[in-house]
Amino acid sequence: MSIAELQVYSVEEADVTGGVCVVRCVGGVARAGQVYAVGESRIGLRRIERHGRAVASFDAGHIAKVHLAGAMVALLTRGQVLTSVPPDGHSLEELEAWLATGPPLGDEPHPRTLRVLAGVRMRDERLPDGIRLRWGRVALAAAHRCARAEGGPGLLRAPELASVQVYLIQQFGPDEGGDPAVLCRELLALMDLTPEQAAAQARVWRDLPYHRIRHLRRIKSLIPWLVLVRPHLADADPSARAVDAWASVRPGLP
């Protein structure tokens, strides 16, 4: 991610929640959703206006009116340069607060960048468990944002979402990490074949059109995640029996 710099021309209005400034981009590309550093404080770039209309971004050499969030806006001065903070400079609290607003998918940090960042923090065993769990929830939110941003069928995006949820369940247990029964039901709902139907197609998979082979492979990619949470399911749970059936079919799938 490039680092953008904004030079303040004027503060048009400001209060304790933020304000509106006229700025010039003097480096990189400024985008709605970025966070800028002002000493130890942070200011969020929420909206950009150029020529009387909202735009998603503007680059070096151009001027825009920007709507900023943060009490520090009132203290900005003419000529002051603001520098965007890269994703690994964002604090956990800032990211949680940012996600709580339901920001547009084009806002930075972008879904894929945030997913990688949060996933690394989630797995960092040097951090306290409570912090890792919070990073895991950010990673899960980022994975959902990736699925929305990148589109494609649910079956295509499901393994990435499942990998985060399964990790949280394994590391922190069902009480903190999430409900394994709910996860299983969601994954099973994506499978539009029964285990018996999948097994029948698998026996002749070389004769199938490519899109059907690919579909079977996507189903196959979900089964390991189901197997990993199977120990957390009650034997009487219908999802448990379904997982057992899919586990027995998986070796024969292409």
Side-chain angles (χ1 to χ4, degrees), residues 177-238:
D179 189 333
V182 170
L183 175 61
C184 280
R185 287 196 295 270
E186 290 175 348
L187 294 179
L188 290 168
L190 295 173
M191 298 177 175
D192 58 352
L193 300 173
T194 66
E196 293 76 18
Q197 290 171 330
Q201 292 188 21
R203 285 192 287 271
V204 294
W205 70 266
R206 290 179 176 83
D207 299 324
L208 297 176
Y210 178 68
H211 74 277
R212 292 307 306 167
I213 298 172
R214 184 171 56 183
H215 189 69
L216 288 173
R217 286 173 176 166
R218 287 173 178 166
I219 289 177
K220 184 177 183 178
S221 72
L222 295 184
I223 299 174
W225 303 115
L226 291 168
V227 171
L228 286 172
V229 296
R230 171 64 176 85
H232 298 283
L233 301 176
D235 289 338
D237 189 325

Side-chain angles (χ1 to χ4, degrees), residues 20 24 51 57 67 87 115-116 118 130 134 199 203 216 234 240 250:
V20 178
R24 180 184 182 89
H51 309 299
S57 64
H67 295 247
R115 165 70 178 84
V116 173
R134 288 169 61 192
R203 285 192 287 271
L216 288 173
R250 184 177 186 272

